[in-house]
Amino acid sequence: MKIFLALLVSLALTHTATAAEPRAAEPESVPLADAPAVSKNPQDARPNAITLEGLGRGLLWSINYDRAFASYFAVGAGFSTYSITFFGQTSTTYAIPLYFNYSPNVGNHRFQLTAGTRLILAQVITTDIFTGAVTSSAWGIGVGPFGGLGYEFRADGGFIFRLLAYLHVTGSASLPVLPWLGLSLGWAF
């Protein structure tokens, strides 16, 4: 107990002695105007994004990954696959959209431009509708350029919403350009 009281008295005397000493001058605070700029662009804080897009770049759907390399630019890639069967003919398509995004403004609500190409691998299998026997099979490969513009909402917490209008180059003489829409929901990290 005596040791405890001695320790308390010595702490009190030390505190009184240091409180009486003059304090060193504190450094001046930095004015707000001279402080380093903090970006108002959520893409700078969370440069990676994964989105699920209905219609859009993959035509029916795609899952996409974007990586921002600057406040305004991002590059991305996606994957999509789908099969359609109609009167004994089954078409299976695999698509890999490769693209870049440009957003000329910063903030949560942004205008977005996108352009790229879709690498396409397709297989068409024809079967006899009565026997189910395969009568022919063919593979094809191609590219499908596209461009688009629209709106992106990117929350500070990471949620992403995009609505874009696209033009897909089809290579068809009857419909050389296909107008299309895309709706994306995703998360930035």
Side-chain angles (χ1 to χ4, degrees):
M1 182 72 170
K2 290 179 184 180
I3 296 173
F4 179 74
L5 288 173
L7 184 61
L8 251 152
V9 169
S10 67
L11 283 174
L13 291 174
T14 307
H15 177 67
T16 308
T18 55
E21 293 176 6
R23 297 181 79 165
E26 292 185 22
E28 292 183 29
S29 62
V30 177
L32 189 57
D34 295 336
V38 176
S39 174
K40 294 180 181 175
N41 192 355
Q43 185 167 298
D44 291 341
R46 298 172 180 266
N48 302 295
I50 294 180
T51 59
L52 181 63
E53 184 174 32
L55 302 176
R57 295 177 179 101
L59 291 180
L60 290 183
W61 73 276
S62 63
I63 186 160
N64 303 304
Y65 169 77
D66 303 348
R67 170 72 181 168
F69 289 100
S71 293
Y72 304 101
F73 292 99
V75 297
F79 178 77
S80 176
T81 183
Y82 45 89
S83 262
I84 299 170
T85 301
F86 190 69
F87 288 111
Q89 192 170 47
T90 301
S91 172
T92 302
T93 303
Y94 303 94
I96 299 173
L98 304 171
Y99 57 91
F100 73 91
N101 296 333
Y102 172 68
S103 296
N105 55 332
V106 297
N108 297 98
H109 304 275
R110 303 172 350 146
F111 175 74
Q112 188 172 68
L113 294 170
T114 187
T117 190
R118 208 174 29 268
L119 305 176
I120 302 165
L121 177 64
Q123 179 185 28
V124 177
I125 299 173
T126 305
T127 57
D128 184 300
I129 58 173
F130 298 110
T131 65
V134 174
T135 57
S136 68
S137 177
W139 283 92
I141 190 166
V143 295
F146 61 86
L149 57 92
Y151 168 77
E152 177 187 74
F153 171 74
R154 188 179 285 238
D156 292 332
F159 175 73
I160 296 174
F161 169 83
R162 293 180 185 147
L163 181 61
L164 286 96
Y166 292 96
L167 290 177
H168 291 278
V169 177
T170 65
S172 167
S174 61
L175 185 64
V177 177
L178 175 67
W180 207 245
L181 289 175
L183 174 72
S184 299
L185 299 174
W187 196 257
F189 55 97

